Amino acid sequence: MTVKDEFSQIKAVMFKSANSKLKFMPEDSMSVIIRGRVDVFERDGQYQLYIDDMQPDGAGALAIAFEQLKKKLGAEGLFDEERKKPIPRFPQKVGVVTSNTGAAVRDIINVISRRYPLAEIIICPVAVQGEYAAGQIKNAIELFNLKKAADVLIVGRGGGSVEDLWAFNEEIVARAVAASEIPIISAVGHETDFTICDFAADLRAPTPSAAAELAVPDMKALLENIYGAKFRMDSAVNGRIAYALSAVEQKKKQLKILSPKSYIDNLTVRFDKVSMAMNAAAERAVEAKKSALMQKCAKLDAMSPLKILSRGYGVASKNGKIITDSSVLLPDDVIDLRLGRGTAECRVIGVKGE
């Protein structure tokens, strides 16, 4: 890199042994305070600054690193609300990733045991500050997911300085929290402390005790709700029973006033009258139909061709067709003659017109 001020500039280099300790990523135009040594780079014949340590000028290195990582992960969508998973309402197992010697774990155990003793508490102790803390926190989250050992996870620690809380600002922790299939409640420090872990988690709690309250329901409140619901149900059932008993009593009184036997006798008389009326109406209808049928039969008989034939007339046909005109006949034609009784086969001797 090149470092410069308003008067001059110099080539500079910072080896891995030094830059691996940086908490922030140097950027163009950033004002920094550098400690190092100047030496000659023999190959190019130039003076060069070998940087041993670099700190931001103004805002602290941790503050810059925090904002840089927050911006980077936010751009990737790790903090989006759509990624947040709901916290189960009645978890059977609550996982805790924190130090097993701090006040935070005791507070979590006390709150969960008091509020919801049905839940099993599974603690995976980790270092919560220092060089190895971030890796242990990440591994604990991944282990809980691999074993499916909990329904909800509480990840956090008690209060401390920015340096003390820094493990929860590491990128590997944030990515492990965001990738967890188990819903995670972040509980790092006090209410005013914010970490990258808080943004990546499904829910942020201001303190470990508050996280325990968010992780499990209050059994006392649940029992009060159940007893209240039972009381309301009992009241509703008793009210329905009382209403039904009152209705039965009213029906008894009505039955005493209106005898069922009398009611049935009245129905029987009405049924007999209706039955007689229906039979009479049916007989009249049948007689009327019979009379109409006889009249139609008489008309049909009077109009029947057979009736006409019985008076001496006949019907001549040729090849199944009725003959109404003598012009269709020729001598020697064979025709059929239908009489009142039977049929005669005839031969035409001669044909005459009208």
Side-chain angles (χ1 to χ4, degrees):
M1 71 194 81
T2 300
V3 293
K4 62 181 181 178
D5 58 14
E6 63 270 24
F7 302 112
S8 59
Q9 66 180 31
I10 186 171
K11 297 287 185 179
V13 62
M14 190 176 194
F15 293 115
K16 183 177 181 179
S17 58
N19 68 44
S20 62
K21 300 175 183 178
L22 288 180
K23 297 295 184 182
F24 70 101
M25 177 63 68
E27 299 176 352
D28 290 342
S29 303
M30 182 182 289
S31 296
V32 294
I33 300 172
I34 292 174
R35 178 175 58 82
R37 68 188 187 281
V38 177
D39 203 346
V40 177
F41 185 38
E42 295 181 357
R43 190 193 67 183
D44 296 341
Q46 291 182 338
Y47 282 103
Q48 186 164 273
L49 176 62
Y50 292 85
I51 301 173
D52 297 324
D53 182 55
M54 182 185 300
Q55 297 293 332
D57 184 17
L62 297 182
I64 292 177
F66 179 91
E67 293 299 330
Q68 287 178 336
L69 183 58
K70 179 181 175 184
K71 181 179 179 181
K72 173 185 175 182
L73 299 182
E76 294 181 20
L78 261 67
F79 306 152
D80 292 349
E81 286 299 321
E82 307 87 70
R83 296 174 58 94
K84 308 294 185 184
K85 296 174 286 297
I87 307 302
R89 188 175 180 186
F90 303 108
Q92 296 181 2
K93 297 179 180 180
V94 179
V96 182
V97 178
T98 190
S99 170
N100 62 344
T101 60
V105 69
R106 293 193 298 273
D107 292 342
I108 291 172
I109 293 172
N110 291 336
V111 172
I112 294 177
S113 300
R114 171 177 51 82
R115 284 174 60 88
Y116 196 64
L118 298 178
E120 179 183 355
I121 304 172
I122 303 173
I123 300 172
C124 184
V126 295
V128 292
Q129 67 184 70
E131 182 180 356
Y132 304 106
Q136 290 186 18
I137 295 169
K138 164 187 170 293
N139 292 339
I141 294 172
E142 292 177 348
L143 181 61
F144 266 110
N145 279 270
L146 179 65
K147 299 292 185 180
K148 301 186 185 303
D151 301 312
V152 62
L153 282 180
I154 298 175
V155 178
R157 56 157 290 160
S161 65
V162 175
E163 290 79 6
D164 293 339
L165 305 181
W166 192 252
F168 297 90
N169 287 321
E170 295 285 357
E171 182 173 352
I172 59 172
V173 172
R175 292 193 181 277
V177 169
S180 173
E181 295 182 2
I182 302 172
I184 292 181
I185 302 175
S186 176
V188 182
H190 300 302
E191 188 168 358
T192 56
D193 297 320
F194 278 88
T195 63
I196 299 296
C197 179
D198 294 333
F199 296 108
D202 299 294
L203 184 64
R204 175 190 179 264
T207 63
S209 297
E213 293 184 357
L214 293 171
V216 296
D218 186 354
M219 178 171 281
K220 183 178 179 181
L222 289 174
L223 290 175
E224 289 177 355
N225 290 337
I226 291 172
Y227 292 145
K230 181 179 181 299
F231 174 77
R232 291 190 296 273
M233 289 174 61
D234 290 343
S235 299
V237 170
N238 292 334
R240 291 293 296 273
I241 292 174
Y243 176 80
L245 290 174
S246 176
V248 169
E249 290 299 323
Q250 291 180 0
K251 295 298 182 183
K252 285 182 179 179
K253 293 178 181 178
Q254 292 177 1
L255 286 174
K256 291 179 181 178
I257 297 172
L258 302 174
S259 172
K261 185 176 184 305
S262 175
Y263 182 69
I264 293 172
D265 290 342
N266 290 335
L267 288 179
T268 302
V269 172
R270 290 174 58 189
F271 174 78
D272 290 342
K273 289 182 178 180
V274 171
S275 179
M276 292 173 62
M278 289 177 63
N279 289 335
E283 290 177 357
R284 289 194 298 271
V286 170
E287 290 299 325
K289 294 295 182 181
K290 282 182 179 180
S291 177
L293 180 60
M294 294 299 293
Q295 293 177 6
K296 293 183 185 297
C297 287
K299 290 182 179 179
L300 286 173
D301 186 59
M303 298 172 64
S304 174
L306 297 178
K307 192 75 173 178
I308 298 172
L309 293 178
S310 66
R311 294 200 296 268
Y313 292 94
V315 178
S317 62
K318 178 181 178 181
N319 298 327
K321 293 183 178 180
I322 303 297
I323 301 171
T324 59
D325 188 345
S326 62
S327 63
V328 300
L329 297 175
L330 297 173
D332 291 330
D333 281 346
V334 176
I335 63 175
D336 294 320
L337 183 62
R338 174 69 183 269
L339 304 174
R341 288 186 180 180
T343 304
E345 190 178 86
C346 307
R347 186 180 299 280
V348 177
I349 298 174
V351 179
K352 296 180 180 180
E354 293 185 7

